[in-house]
Amino acid sequence: MATEIDDYEVEEEGEPITTRHALGRAFVEAPSLRVGLVTTVLLAILGTVGTLIVPIMVQQIVDRELLAGDAPDFATVVTQGAIALVLLAGATLLARTAFFRLSRMTADGLKELRVRLFDHLHRLSILHVQAERRGALVSRVTSDITTIQEFMEWGGVGMLIGGAQVILALIVMFFYRWQLAGLVLLGVIVYVVMLLFFQKLLQKAHDQVREKVADSLSVMGETITGLPVIRAHGVEATTLARVQATLSTQVRVEHRAFKLSALLFASAEIFAAGITATVIGVGVFLGAAAGTSAGVLLAFLFLVNLMIDPVQTLVETIDQAQRAAAGLRRVLRVLDTPVDIPDPVDGVDLRPGPVGMRMADVTYSYPKGPVVLSGVDIEIAPGRRVAVVGQTGSGKTTFTKLVTRLLDPDAGRIEIGGVPLQKIRFASLRKRVAFVPQEGFLFNTTIAENVRYGVPDATDEQIREAFSQLGLEAWLERTPAGLETAVGERGTNLSAGERQLVALVRAWITNPDLLVLDEATSAVDPFLEVSLRRAIERLTSGRTSITVAHRLSTAEASDEVLVFDHGGLVERGTHQELLTRKGVYTSLYADWNRGAKTA
């Protein structure tokens, strides 16, 4: 049924997220970023105040001691120097404390953001997750948030301390000579305006970089996962060309961002040289015309240097901030994606015991796609074994996803156990209704841990008993380490059939009342098929079951068969009843028989 969602694409809608809005949202989504922030800012400001002691002390020593006309009092000079050293040491300690506090806040806050992102991804519909490239989603959870963390831990501290240092240095400058301070302030304003212009260019450039990084991760991840297929078809050269083209695009946008950054860094050097030259020239003029002392001029030069250093650092930080903001915007776009299949706020739990299923005039179509199911009316009594058959694309898999509420219908009503499906709490639904897909997905851990995804607190004895009850204890004994056998990434250490065995045990151990299987025996070898069929017979015994049957031997053993064709339910009845009608099922059965004989 993969063809049913091929045309579905996720579109990013809404207004662009500005850097300011993104930062504001970060504080909302990750509250730890706000904890103790005021104290951290105060520590950073106090640390900055200490650095301003040096130019003030220089002015005092030069004007009052060295150029006062009398011999300098070296005891006073040493005392003032010692005071300045102590204050400077204290300022450094405060600045370091602010740094460590901000680093801790950042680590905690971004951990919260990652958890929020994971939680939201798991609440999104399967359509959204399947339509997104896996590499793009991985990059948002990993590299995008890592970029934010690097900025917050290093650039964030620099912006905090540097911004305070620039403001305080300007205040002290106005205290000494407002004319010089006014010129410096004018230069700072002009430069900031230019920075704002560059910021927009960098924002666009780094947004493109993050997008292309995600593209590269997606393509490389896909080619690594699909390595056996690539080798089997001999398309290594074509695949390599695709990877090279993707990486070349990434390098091109990265180079553009780098050129903008280099131009920005060069502007910082020009700004520093221009401000210093202006202060010296105007300061010398004022010294001759208005009595500006040598100490004041030296203090001014120290203050200009104290101001220029953080401005230059700020320029570097802006580049880093734009990379972080680009990553943050991508994360927020995921968090802003609405949950289209929400867990009901005032939901109810299913009552214990066998449950039936009812569909009333259900219609469903994938976004931008044709109608997949239309006007389906079905009622399944509790405890019945039902097989679902039909040609590829007839709507079988969509039907099972609607029953398990992996999808919601466009129209119509679905009930489980007499309760509207959209009113059942997810916790109750997932506990009472188990779904085993056609390809049993396993996590990169042991057989036991994969079964525990069904019941997290299950003991090894309970898991072994589950294998035994399904008649699979002999297979388990043949594995290299029994329950502790490592299955590998996506279960690649096991065959397709063996992965399905583990998936069936995982469903069995949850003891569901309604079991939905997307035919587990469609792609396994004959030896394992026998074990699987026996396990499925035991698994479905005594409970309501819906099985998508690709092999009609499953339909033969069912209480009832539902036949889908072109998105509608066209026939229903027992295997024998349907054969006598000479309809769609008879044709399907004849085709299956011919295929079984020639296999």
Side-chain angles (χ1 to χ4, degrees), residues 145-160:
I145 292 185
T146 298
T147 301
I148 302 168
Q149 184 170 355
E150 290 173 350
F151 164 71
M152 292 293 290
E153 290 182 348
W154 299 99
V157 175
M159 291 185 71
L160 192 64

Side-chain angles (χ1 to χ4, degrees), residues 175-227:
F175 175 78
Y176 277 121
R177 279 291 180 270
W178 67 267
Q179 299 94 332
L180 281 177
L183 286 173
V184 173
L185 178 60
L186 179 62
V188 170
I189 292 174
V190 171
Y191 190 61
V192 167
V193 171
M194 187 192 72
L195 288 182
L196 292 175
F197 171 74
F198 269 101
Q199 181 199 22
K200 293 181 180 180
L201 295 179
L202 282 170
Q203 174 178 322
K204 182 178 180 180
H206 285 298
D207 279 343
Q208 291 177 341
V209 169
R210 298 312 307 166
E211 290 172 4
K212 298 309 175 185
V213 167
D215 288 345
S216 298
L217 285 173
S218 180
V219 170
M220 288 187 288
E222 185 179 58
T223 53
I224 292 172
T225 303
L227 187 59

Side-chain angles (χ1 to χ4, degrees), residues 467-468 471-479 527 531:
F467 274 95
S468 177
L472 300 176
E473 66 274 17
W475 172 81
L476 182 62
E477 291 174 0
R478 291 195 299 271
T479 59
F527 177 77
S531 297

Side-chain angles (χ1 to χ4, degrees), residues 48-49 51-53 55-56 59 165-178 181 296 299-300 303 306:
T48 301
V49 170
T51 62
L52 300 178
I53 296 298
I56 294 174
Q59 183 267 321
Q165 189 166 310
V166 169
I167 293 172
L168 292 175
L170 281 169
I171 292 173
V172 176
M173 286 181 189
F174 274 99
F175 175 78
Y176 277 121
R177 279 291 180 270
W178 67 267
V296 170
F300 239 95
L303 289 168
L306 284 175

